């Protein structure tokens, strides 16, 4: 099959996806040919259809073979992104279409933008298919387990080149980070991802310009990112609560939440104010309420402790501003709260430890705000965090427990795909290369399941127990433990709110 056929197939696929119209066919074809340094075009019959990601791979391979680009991940990404940019409308046109559909219904608008983000190959659908995902039933509902295989690994040549370029040109700081609006349409460079095919929706929140986009590597349905137009540190405060509730007012079929704003308990990017949301119901959102309470001065707000391994307060009400004020009151109270009986210290000197991971949603016309209490203190026994995955679960999950994990979705490292196969072989007494840090866990599994281990059952056993490890991760991150002492401490905090 020739390169001309691949180009024709890509143009046809773009027309079928309604990225372009039939009248754009020749223009688009010539633009793709130019990217491949072709000065002519031979029309050839096309007898099959292929997906856009597959066709981009064919074009990228041709560019490699002809020496147009080097065999580096970032150069291949930049090439593919530039090709797809040929088929995508300008941001103004995308926004105009979004809000035309929004006038009919918010869900129609997000459906359009989500589909566009997939069809344009900004959302890496082919790579996402590689992820291992399943659910594990627990006493707190079904936890989502994902082993993330979608992000391609950089080879040593690219890593070395990134270091070399950083040394030779340390002043390059544009865009300032991966979440800045300046990434929209940015070609990319070695060490910074390609974003030529990236589009954002302008959305005003509390008199500020914010931008809606989808994650290139979505972890759940319609996994979106809402980012500030200003490059500033993340901050959980009254304004954050108001923005979260304003967003679910505008987009009522989505939830939205924020990572905590302190190291250890926050997410991976704390230097740019942003939230994450989407059209998905996590286990935490489905978790029942255990203990109800009211707040003095907030008669139209109801509160409850949620049955969840982490420490969650759920507030409900029909008035958005009342929920903002009640959430702010609880945050301010928690920031300075101490209870030595359950090892909670609010500050070390001037260093603050208490904060909140907030999540907002609408349900049947009622606003809900989940406030997950967090503390990032460390000590000699737990140098990575007292309320952080402890040593005995770090062979599975060592990274920060951010918003997505808090709600019940484990995003686990790619290394586990092969490592868990070695655990299975070890359990079956087969030749294996079991990682030393998994051995204690594997021995426990061997003892627990001695009578039921077989080739037929071993995979299910390991998947289930991986889910139980993630449950332990969440329990470690809970500031008020699920035992009697911890729940008594939780109720003391609730009672303190009315004193």
């Amino acid at each position: 099959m020739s390169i001309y056929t691949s180009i024709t197939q890509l143009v046809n696929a773009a027309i079928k996806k309604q990225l372009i119209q039939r009248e754009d066919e020749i223009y688009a074809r010539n633009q793709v040919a130019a990217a491949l340094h072709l000065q002519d075009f031979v029309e050839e019959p096309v007898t099959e259809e292929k997906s856009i990601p597959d066709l981009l791979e064919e074009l990228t391979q041709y560019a490699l073979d002809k020496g147009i680009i080097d065999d580096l991940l970032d150069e291949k990404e930049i090439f593919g992104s530039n090709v797809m940019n040929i088929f995508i409308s300008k941001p103004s046109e995308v926004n105009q279409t979004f809000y035309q559909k929004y006038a009919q219904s918010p869900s129609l608008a997000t459906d359009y933008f989500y589909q566009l983000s997939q069809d344009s190959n900004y959302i890496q659908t082919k790579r996402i298919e590689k992820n291992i995902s399943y659910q594990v039933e627990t006493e707190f509902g079904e936890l989502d387990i994902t082993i993330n295989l979608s992000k391609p690994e950089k080879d040593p040549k690219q890593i070395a080149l990134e270091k070399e370029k950083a040394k030779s040109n340390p002043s390059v700081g544009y865009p300032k980070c991966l979440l800045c609006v300046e990434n929209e349409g940015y070609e990319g460079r070695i060490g910074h991802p390609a974003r030529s095919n990236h589009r954002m929706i302008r959305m005003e929140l509390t008199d500020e310009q914010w931008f809606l986009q989808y994650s290139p590597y979505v972890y759940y349905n319609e996994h979106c990112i809402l980012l500030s137009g200003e490059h500033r540190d993340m901050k959980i405060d009254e304004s954050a609560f108001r923005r979260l509730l304003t967003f679910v007012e505008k987009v009522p079929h989505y939830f939205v939440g924020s990572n905590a704003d302190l190291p250890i308990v926050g997410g991976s990017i704390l230097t740019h104010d942003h939230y994450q949301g989407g059209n998905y119901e996590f286990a935490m959102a489905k978790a029942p309420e255990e203990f109800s309470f009211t707040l003095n001065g907030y008669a139209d707000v109801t509160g409850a402790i949620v049955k969840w391994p982490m420490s969650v307060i759920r507030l409900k009400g029909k008035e958005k501003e009342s929920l903002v004020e009640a959430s702010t009151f609880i945050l301010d109270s928690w920031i300075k709260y101490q209870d030595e009986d359950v090892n909670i210290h609010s500050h070390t000197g001037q260093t603050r430890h208490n904060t909140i991971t907030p999540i907002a949603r609408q349900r049947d016309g009622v606003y809900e705000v989940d406030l997950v209490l967090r503390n990032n203190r460390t000590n000699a026994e737990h140098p990575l965090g007292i309320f952080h995955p402890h040593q005995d679960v770090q062979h599975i999950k060592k990274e920060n427990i951010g918003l997505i994990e808090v709600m019940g979705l484990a995003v686990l490292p790619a290394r586990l795909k092969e490592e868990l196969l070695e655990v299975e072989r070890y359990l079956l007494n087969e030749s294996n290369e079991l990682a030393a840090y998994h051995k204690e866990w594997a021995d426990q599994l061997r003892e627990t399941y001695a009578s039921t281990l077989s080739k037929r059952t071993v995979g299910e056993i390991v998947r289930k127990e991986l889910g139980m490890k993630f449950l332990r991760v969440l329990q470690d991150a809970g500031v008020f433990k699920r035992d009697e002492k911890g729940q008594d401490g939780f109720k003391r905090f609730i009672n303190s709110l009315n004193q």
Side-chain angles (χ1 to χ4, degrees), residues 80-119:
S81 179
N82 280 335
V83 168
M84 286 313 302
N85 191 43
I86 294 166
F87 301 98
I88 311 170
S89 300
K90 295 182 178 70
S92 59
E93 295 165 345
V94 171
N95 275 261
Q96 183 179 27
T97 302
F98 179 91
Y99 281 107
Q100 286 172 348
K101 294 180 182 296
Y102 184 88
Q104 300 175 62
S105 81
S107 60
L108 196 63
T110 55
D111 286 349
Y112 153 74
F113 187 45
Y114 190 54
Q115 191 63 53
L116 173 67
S117 299
Q118 294 176 88
D119 293 343

Side-chain angles (χ1 to χ4, degrees), residues 7 23 35 45-46 78 93 128 160 225 253 285 302 328 338 357 423 437 472 491 499:
I7 294 172
E23 292 84 350
V46 173
I78 288 169
E93 295 165 345
I128 292 164
I225 299 171
H253 58 294
T302 61
T328 305
Q338 299 211 142
T357 300
V423 171
Y437 46 76
R472 268 287 320 284
K491 291 175 183 177
Q499 292 175 358

Side-chain angles (χ1 to χ4, degrees), residues 416-442:
L416 287 176
K417 178 186 177 182
E418 297 302 326
E419 290 180 6
L420 293 177
L421 292 175
E422 298 301 328
V423 171
E424 292 181 21
R425 295 185 182 105
Y426 179 82
L427 294 176
L428 295 172
N429 294 313
E430 296 177 352
S431 176
N432 63 82
E433 296 180 8
L434 181 70
Y437 46 76
H438 289 313
K439 188 174 187 305
E440 182 178 353
W441 178 52

Side-chain angles (χ1 to χ4, degrees), residues 199-241:
R199 301 292 183 268
M200 300 182 188
I201 300 300
R202 278 66 180 157
M203 187 171 290
E204 187 175 288
L205 297 178
T206 62
D207 298 324
E208 287 187 345
Q209 184 75 280
W210 283 65
F211 297 83
L212 176 69
Q213 65 173 68
Y214 289 103
S215 169
Y217 297 98
V218 293
Y219 293 133
Y220 51 84
N221 188 49
E222 297 176 52
H223 176 187
C224 69
I225 299 171
L226 192 64
L227 56 96
S228 169
E230 178 186 352
H231 180 76
R232 66 189 185 209
D233 289 350
M234 290 190 65
K235 185 175 178 61
I236 306 301
D237 58 9
E238 181 179 359
S239 297
F241 293 128

Side-chain angles (χ1 to χ4, degrees), residues 21-291:
Q21 303 301 311
R22 180 57 70 179
E23 292 84 350
D24 303 316
E25 177 183 9
I26 294 175
Y27 165 83
R29 185 179 75 190
N30 285 336
Q31 291 294 302
V32 176
L36 292 165
H37 297 184
L38 296 171
Q39 296 182 340
D40 65 351
F41 193 86
V42 179
E43 294 195 40
E44 298 174 337
V46 173
T47 58
E48 63 175 327
E49 295 181 357
K50 292 182 180 180
S51 72
I52 287 175
D54 286 342
L55 290 164
L56 280 178
E57 287 182 0
E58 290 182 9
L59 268 58
T60 302
Q61 186 59 52
Y62 178 89
L64 278 171
D65 294 342
K66 297 298 182 180
I68 298 169
I69 59 174
D70 289 332
D71 191 9
L72 293 170
L73 172 64
D74 284 352
E75 288 209 17
K76 291 185 283 188
E77 300 281 276
I78 288 169
F79 176 82
S81 179
N82 280 335
V83 168
M84 286 313 302
N85 191 43
I86 294 166
F87 301 98
I88 311 170
S89 300
K90 295 182 178 70
S92 59
E93 295 165 345
V94 171
N95 275 261
Q96 183 179 27
T97 302
F98 179 91
Y99 281 107
Q100 286 172 348
K101 294 180 182 296
Y102 184 88
Q104 300 175 62
S105 81
S107 60
L108 196 63
T110 55
D111 286 349
Y112 153 74
F113 187 45
Y114 190 54
Q115 191 63 53
L116 173 67
S117 299
Q118 294 176 88
D119 293 343
S120 65
N121 205 50
Y122 175 72
I123 295 177
Q124 299 285 331
T125 54
K126 185 173 182 179
R127 292 176 184 169
I128 292 164
E129 289 173 356
K130 299 176 183 178
N131 289 345
I132 297 171
S133 301
Y134 61 95
Q135 294 182 316
V136 172
E137 183 64 48
T138 74
E139 62 179 300
F140 301 99
E142 287 187 327
L143 300 182
D144 291 297
I145 309 298
T146 297
I147 297 176
N148 181 19
L149 304 172
S150 56
K151 291 187 178 181
E153 294 185 9
K154 298 178 180 180
D155 62 30
K157 181 180 176 183
Q158 161 129 353
I159 293 170
L161 188 58
E162 285 184 20
K163 290 180 179 178
E164 179 185 328
K165 287 187 176 292
K167 287 180 181 178
S168 62
N169 197 359
S171 62
V172 175
Y174 181 90
K176 291 180 181 177
C177 78
L178 298 178
L179 292 179
C180 282
V181 65
E182 287 80 10
N183 283 281
E184 187 177 45
Y186 184 66
E187 183 180 52
R189 60 179 185 269
I190 300 299
H192 191 101
R195 291 291 182 261
S196 294
N197 58 339
H198 183 27
R199 301 292 183 268
M200 300 182 188
I201 300 300
R202 278 66 180 157
M203 187 171 290
E204 187 175 288
L205 297 178
T206 62
D207 298 324
E208 287 187 345
Q209 184 75 280
W210 283 65
F211 297 83
L212 176 69
Q213 65 173 68
Y214 289 103
S215 169
Y217 297 98
V218 293
Y219 293 133
Y220 51 84
N221 188 49
E222 297 176 52
H223 176 187
C224 69
I225 299 171
L226 192 64
L227 56 96
S228 169
E230 178 186 352
H231 180 76
R232 66 189 185 209
D233 289 350
M234 290 190 65
K235 185 175 178 61
I236 306 301
D237 58 9
E238 181 179 359
S239 297
F241 293 128
R242 187 169 286 110
R243 283 190 290 267
L244 293 175
L245 285 164
T246 299
F247 178 78
V248 297
E249 180 182 39
K250 290 176 178 284
V251 189
H253 58 294
Y254 275 18
F255 82 90
V256 67
S258 176
N259 279 304
D261 54 353
L262 295 180
I264 296 176
V265 296
S268 58
I269 300 178
L270 298 181
T271 55
H272 194 115
D273 208 1
H274 73 285
Y275 311 129
Q276 295 181 77
N279 190 7
Y280 189 73
E281 190 173 39
F282 288 86
M284 194 180 83
K286 294 183 266 189
E289 298 165 5
E290 290 186 308
F291 172 77

Side-chain angles (χ1 to χ4, degrees), residues 228-479:
S228 169
E230 178 186 352
H231 180 76
R232 66 189 185 209
D233 289 350
M234 290 190 65
K235 185 175 178 61
I236 306 301
D237 58 9
E238 181 179 359
S239 297
F241 293 128
R242 187 169 286 110
R243 283 190 290 267
L244 293 175
L245 285 164
T246 299
F247 178 78
V248 297
E249 180 182 39
K250 290 176 178 284
V251 189
H253 58 294
Y254 275 18
F255 82 90
V256 67
S258 176
N259 279 304
D261 54 353
L262 295 180
I264 296 176
V265 296
S268 58
I269 300 178
L270 298 181
T271 55
H272 194 115
D273 208 1
H274 73 285
Y275 311 129
Q276 295 181 77
N279 190 7
Y280 189 73
E281 190 173 39
F282 288 86
M284 194 180 83
K286 294 183 266 189
E289 298 165 5
E290 290 186 308
F291 172 77
S292 298
F293 63 90
T294 57
L295 288 172
N296 294 342
Y298 304 96
D300 53 355
V301 174
T302 61
I305 291 175
V306 178
K307 183 183 178 182
W308 191 245
M310 297 184 70
S311 306
V312 185
I313 295 171
R314 178 167 295 156
L315 301 181
K316 295 181 183 179
K318 291 188 175 182
E319 298 298 324
K320 184 177 69 174
E321 195 58 31
S322 293
L323 276 175
V324 170
E325 292 176 4
S327 299
T328 305
F329 169 68
I330 292 176
L331 171 65
D332 291 343
S333 301
W334 174 244
I335 283 174
K336 59 179 182 274
Y337 187 75
Q338 299 211 142
D339 188 341
E340 293 188 8
D341 285 349
V342 286
N343 210 19
I344 293 172
H345 299 262
S346 66
H347 290 77
T348 300
Q350 297 300 311
T351 302
R352 176 165 68 96
H353 297 304
N354 286 349
T355 187
I356 279 176
T357 300
I359 301 101
R361 68 183 74 88
Q362 272 202 67
R363 219 191 295 258
D364 299 324
V366 176
Y367 293 107
E368 289 184 2
V369 178
D370 285 349
L371 305 172
V372 188
L373 307 181
R374 313 297 302 274
N375 178 289
N376 77 343
R377 194 166 66 90
T378 63
N379 61 15
E381 183 182 2
H382 301 293
L384 298 182
I386 297 169
F387 304 104
H388 178 82
H390 290 176
Q391 182 67 39
D392 61 329
V393 296
Q394 288 178 10
H395 65 109
I396 297 297
K397 178 73 173 177
K398 189 175 183 179
E399 298 79 14
N400 294 4
I401 304 306
L403 172 69
I404 294 174
E405 288 90 356
V406 162
M407 295 185 292
L409 191 159
V411 182
L412 301 177
R415 63 177 171 82
L416 287 176
K417 178 186 177 182
E418 297 302 326
E419 290 180 6
L420 293 177
L421 292 175
E422 298 301 328
V423 171
E424 292 181 21
R425 295 185 182 105
Y426 179 82
L427 294 176
L428 295 172
N429 294 313
E430 296 177 352
S431 176
N432 63 82
E433 296 180 8
L434 181 70
Y437 46 76
H438 289 313
K439 188 174 187 305
E440 182 178 353
W441 178 52
D443 286 337
Q444 292 169 353
L445 296 183
R446 180 182 276 175
E447 181 178 348
T448 302
Y449 293 97
S451 62
T452 57
L453 273 172
S454 69
K455 280 188 175 293
R456 184 178 60 84
T457 64
V458 68
E460 182 181 350
I461 287 169
V462 171
R463 284 192 297 272
K464 174 189 171 184
E465 292 298 328
L466 184 67
M468 293 301 107
K469 279 285 186 177
F470 178 56
L471 175 57
R472 268 287 320 284
V473 163
L474 296 181
Q475 290 170 330
D476 287 348
V479 294

